[in-house]
Amino acid sequence: SLKSLIILFDIESGYYPVCTSDILQVQLSFPPPRLFDRYRDLAPQLVPLDYTDQPDVRLPYELIGSMPELKDNPFRQRIAEVFSEDGEGNMTLDDFLDMFSVLSEMAPRDLKAYYAFKIYDFNNDDFLCKSDLEKTLNKLTRNELTEDEVRMVCEKVIDEADLDNDGRLSLEDFQHMIVRAPDFLSTFHIRI
Amino acid sequence: MTSLKEEVEEKKKLIATLRNKPWRMKRRLKLLKECQAFVEEFEGALGKGKGRKLYAYKVMMAKKMIKFNRDFDNFKTACIPWERKIKEVESHFGSSVASYFIFLRWMYGLNLVLFAFMFGLVVLPEVMMGLPYGSIPRKTVPRAEQDRAMDISVLLDFGGYCKYSILFYGFYNDERTIGVLQFRLPLSYLLVGLGIFGYSLMVVIRTMARNSDEGGDGGDDGQFTFAFKMFTSWDYLIGNPETADNKYASITTSFKESIVDEQENQKDENIHLRRFLRVLANFLILCSLGGSGFLIYFVVKRSQEFANLDQDELSWFEKNEVEFVMSLLGLVCPPLFETIAELEEYHPRIALKWQLGRIFALFLGNLYTFLFALFDEVNAKLEKEKSIRNATIWGLNEYYSNYSSYHNTTDIPPPDIHPADVIRGPCWETAVGIEFVKLTVSDIQVTYMTILIGDFLRAMIVRFLNYCWCWDLEAGFPSYGEFDISGNVLGLIFNQGMIWMGAFYAPGLVGLNVLRLLTSMYYQCWAVMSCNVPHERVFKASKSNNFYMGLLLLVLFLSLLPVVYTIMTLPPSFDCGPFSGREQMYNVVMETIENDLPAFIGNIFTYATNPGLILPAVLLMVLAIYYLNATSKNYQNANLELKKKMQMARDEEKNRRNNKENTNQVMQDLEDLLPNRSLLPPAAEEEKPPPVLEKGSKSPKVAKRPGAAANGKGVNIQKDVSLAAPNPKAAVTHPPGPRGPSGNARGPPPGPARGRGRGTPPSRR
C-alpha cells in the first residue's frame, strides 16, 4: 500500500479519493489533482502542502466568495454557509471538496435537490417559508420587481408546490417539484 | 468461499454507490477505506486482482466519452451564428422580440441554401463554361444603349451593363449542352427554378411539424411554472459579470411575462360588452380594408389609362401614383389597425396575431396589384415581340435572297453583323426580373430608412431635445420607440415572397437577398439595443412559431402560382434566355427525355402522364389524407383523455394527502379514547422511513469542533442527515393552514371514502 501526500480528487469520474492520512491511493490519476490546487491557490500561506496530519485549516468566506466560479452567483453566501462546517461560510478542505462534488455534473439528482433546498432555506428552519422565497426572488431579480409582484410570485410558488398545505415548502414538497424540472440538473452545476 | 465472494461483491457495490449517499466527506472516506481494504485483502485471495484495472479502464473510457460528447455539443452550439446577440436581445426585450431575430436567422439559413443551388448549378456553369460577354447578341449591350451603358443612374436602374449580365434571365444561352462536361444548362435552369420552391416547401413544412411536436407533455406544462422559474432559472455556471447582468435581466423579464399571463387568466369582466366591442372593431377594420382595396383598384385603373397617354405629359405624381398610394396605405393602415384593436382588449400575444393577420390582408392587396400591373406589361411586350420577330425573319430572308441572287451560290454564310447591331426583341423575362430586383432594392431602402429615421433619429431627438423642452419627451409624447414585431415579421415574409417569385427571372436576386439578410441582422440588432425600449407589457412568445410559418407557407403558394403559370402558358422570348426558340419553357424537359435518356424511360413518362393513371393516383392521395387526418384526430383525443386522467390522479393524491393528515389527527384523538384498538393503517406506505434522524442545530456542533478536528476519524453524526426528512405531520402541532376549514369539513362527511384507507383493517379481523 502507498502513502500519498496530496489529495487526488477526480470529481468528474465520481471516484472518491483519498485523503492524505489514508494509505490507499486510488488508481485513477487522470486528470491531475486540480481541486486541491484551487483550494491552496486561494491562500497559499494558510494551506500547507502536506495534509498528512489533518491540519485544521479553514479559509474565510471572503476568499471562497471571490472565486471566479462563485463571485457572480447571487447565492454564493448561502452555498458557502450550507457546505461549511461552522455554518458561517468558512470552509475546510473537506467542505470545499464536498461543495464541488455536489455541484458537479456527476452528482445524483436527489443529492442536488437536498442541497438546493438547504441553500434556498435562508433561515435554516428546514422549511421554505414565504420570507425565504421572497429573499430568493429578490436575489434573483436584484430587487427589480415591485412588492406586489414579489408577493404574487411567492404565493403562486407555494400554491403550486405545497402538497401538505401548511403554507410553506418542506423538503418533500421541494423534491416532489424539483424532480420534474427539466433544467434543474443543468443549471445546478458548477464546473471547476 | 461463496459467502466471502458475496461479501466482496457487496463491498464493491457499496463502493460504487458511495457517491449517491448524502454524507459528509469524512464519513464517505472512512467507509471507502474500509471497503477497499477488505476488497484488496480478499480479492487477492480469490485471484481476481486484474478485475480492478479493467474496471478503472472502463470507467476512464466512459468518462472520456462523456467529455467528448459534451465538447461536441458545445461545438455544435458554438457554430450557430449570432446566438449570443440574440440572447442579449432576449434578456432585455423578452422572448417575443427575440423570436423575430430567430426567425430572421432561420430565413438567412434558408436563403443561403437557395443561393448555393442557384449559384452552383446555374450561374457558375454559365460563367465558367458558357460564352463570354459580347460574343452573341443576347450577351451584348445593343448599339443604341452603349454610350449610356456605364452611367450610374442607368446602372442603379439595372439597365446598361447590369441588364446584360448574369444577374438576369436574358444572359443565359440556350445551347443544349455547354463545355467539356456537357452540362445541360437549360434543363438545369428549369429544374433549379422549380427546385427552389420544392426545397422551401419541404423546409417550411418540416419546421412546422417540428414546432407542433414541441407541445410537450401538457400535464407538467404549467403545473410548476413559477416554482421552476424560481429554483432552476439561475445558471450556476455563469462566471462572467456581463453574462450575469444579462441573466438577471432575462430572469426579471421572464417573471414579468409570467405575471402578465397570470393576470390575464385572473381577469374577468363584462363578457357582453367585450364581445360587442370586438365585433365593432372587426367591422371597422373590414371597412378600412375594403376602402384600401378599392383605392388601389381605382389607382391601378387610372394608371392603365395614363399608360396610353404620352409619357412626357404626365407629372411625376401621376407617373408614380400607384407606388405612392401603396406606400401611403402601408404606412397609415397598420397604426390605424392597432388603435382600433385597443377596443378589443386581447392578451398581447393574441392581439399581435390579429394585427399580423390584418396587415397581411392589406399587403396581399398590394401584392396582387403589383402582379396585375406586371402582367399587363408582359402582355404588351409579347405583342411587341411578335412584330419584331416578324421583322427579323423578314430581314433575314431578304438577306439570303439578296446574297444568293448577287453571288449565285446556295451555300450562304450567316450574316456578318456585330452582336451589338442585331435587332433585339424586348425580352419580357428580363424586364420582369428587373422589376422584382427594383422592388426588392426599394424595399430594403425603405426599411433601413424607416429604422434610421423612425427609431434612431427619434431616439436622438428625445434624448437631446429633452434638456430644453417644456414637457418630458421621454415619458410623454414621442418617447422612445418600441420594436414593431408584426411590421417587421410581415416585411420579412413578403420580402421572401418577392424573392421566390423573382428568382426564376433574376438568378442574382437570391444572392442579393442573402446580403440583405446578413446586414439586416447586424443593423437591426444594433438598432433595437440602442434605440428601442422594451414593451410596456412584456409577453412571452407563443411556444410554437407556427403562426409565422403558416403565413410563410401561404406566401410560398401565392408566389408559386405566377411562376408556374408563366412556365406553363407563356411562350419564352425568341432571342434571349435559356429557353429561347422553344414553344414552351417545359419543352426542355421533353427534349431531354427524348434525346438523352434511354428509350424506356420515355415510355414510362408517356404512361405516367396518361390521365387514366393520374386520376386514380390523385384519388388515392385524397383518401390517404382523409385517413391520416382521422387517425391524428383520434390520437389527439386519446392524448386529451390521458392528460385528464393524469390531472385527476394528481388531484386525487393531493386530496388523499390532505385527507390523511386530517384523518390521522382525528384517528390520533380516537385512539386516545380507545386505547386498545388501533385502527391506524401502517404509515409506511407513503413516507420513506427516515433512517438517520438527528438533525442537530448548529450550536452543539460548534462546541464539538476541536474534538472532531483532532482525530479526523470522528464522523460528526449530527451533520449526517438522510434525504428524507421525517414525516412533517409528526412535527405538526397546529391545525393546518388556510385550507384548514375545508379540510376539516372534509373530515366527517366522507365516511365511506375515509373508510377506503381504514376500512380494510376491520374486515381483516
Side-chain angles (χ1 to χ4, degrees), chain B residues 39-304:
Chain B
V39 168
E40 231 189 39
E41 200 183 316
F42 289 105
E43 226 178 12
L46 294 172
K48 283 206 233 144
K50 284 222 167 80
R52 212 157 139 203
K53 283 218 175 83
L54 185 64
Y55 180 61
Y57 176 74
K58 274 200 280 193
V59 171
M60 194 177 79
M61 287 315 288
K63 187 204 122 117
K64 277 195 173 169
M65 198 65 206
I66 293 177
K67 186 156 190 294
F68 173 74
N69 279 339
R70 185 174 66 210
D71 285 342
F72 186 63
D73 275 334
N74 282 350
F75 173 71
K76 270 201 296 192
T77 319
C79 273
I80 300 178
W82 306 310
E83 187 72 9
R84 221 174 22 173
K85 232 186 241 296
I86 294 183
K87 275 221 152 40
E88 214 183 316
V89 170
E90 187 172 22
S91 4
H92 285 101
F93 291 90
S95 49
S96 45
V97 171
S99 72
Y100 165 73
F101 287 99
I102 293 174
F103 188 55
L104 180 60
R105 184 175 64 187
W106 182 85
M107 287 285 233
Y108 175 71
L110 174 67
N111 275 282
L112 213 54
V113 173
L114 297 183
F115 174 67
F117 276 154
M118 203 49 138
F119 191 72
L121 293 173
V122 170
V123 177
L124 215 53
E126 182 71 23
V127 162
M128 293 198 322
M129 298 189 280
L131 299 168
Y133 170 82
S135 49
I136 45 176
R138 68 187 63 182
K139 298 197 185 205
T140 327
V141 179
R143 188 71 66 185
E145 298 173 21
Q146 265 187 0
D147 46 352
R148 295 194 57 211
M150 222 15 191
D151 289 353
I152 284 288
S153 61
V154 168
L155 281 181
L156 282 181
D157 232 3
F158 296 100
Y161 285 114
C162 251
K163 187 167 167 188
Y164 299 95
S165 68
I166 46 160
L167 282 179
F168 295 106
Y169 174 99
F171 188 79
Y172 296 85
N173 200 4
D174 71 333
E175 271 182 48
R176 250 190 78 239
T177 63
I178 50 175
V180 173
L181 295 172
Q182 303 286 344
F183 189 81
R184 290 167 174 68
L185 188 73
L187 183 68
S188 156
Y189 196 99
L190 186 68
L191 290 181
V192 165
L194 293 176
I196 282 181
F197 286 104
Y199 177 76
S200 309
L201 187 66
M202 197 184 72
V203 166
V204 170
I205 291 198
R206 193 176 60 183
T207 313
M208 281 179 86
R210 204 182 293 152
N211 278 346
S212 74
D213 209 21
E214 283 167 10
D217 55 335
D220 281 349
D221 178 35
Q223 196 195 8
F224 290 120
T225 329
F226 283 91
F228 286 170
K229 275 202 205 308
M230 186 176 281
F231 296 117
T232 63
S233 57
W234 181 264
D235 188 354
Y236 281 58
L237 276 171
I238 290 179
N240 169 353
E242 259 180 43
T243 322
D245 280 339
N246 276 351
K247 194 67 181 170
Y248 284 123
S250 97
I251 290 178
T252 313
T253 312
S254 157
F255 269 113
K256 289 202 172 149
E257 285 175 358
S258 295
I259 291 176
V260 164
D261 273 346
E262 189 61 29
Q263 280 169 345
E264 285 293 318
N265 286 346
Q266 288 173 356
K267 229 185 346 179
D268 60 354
E269 287 164 17
N270 192 346
I271 294 189
H272 299 292
L273 180 66
R274 223 196 233 183
R275 279 207 195 125
F276 169 72
L277 284 177
R278 282 184 187 165
V279 167
L280 180 67
N282 277 320
F283 176 71
L284 284 173
I285 288 180
L286 273 175
C287 284
S288 40
L289 276 176
S292 77
F294 178 71
L295 191 63
I296 291 181
Y297 175 75
F298 177 69
V299 162
V300 166
K301 272 273 171 285
R302 258 178 36 141
S303 81
Q304 282 177 344

Side-chain angles (χ1 to χ4, degrees), chain A residues 27-47:
Chain A
Q27 48 191 318
L28 193 68
S29 55
F30 171 86
R34 299 186 304 254
L35 271 167
F36 177 68
D37 288 341
R38 292 300 305 274
Y39 185 74
R40 189 150 183 281
D41 285 341
L42 292 175
Q45 69 280 23
L46 284 179
V47 178

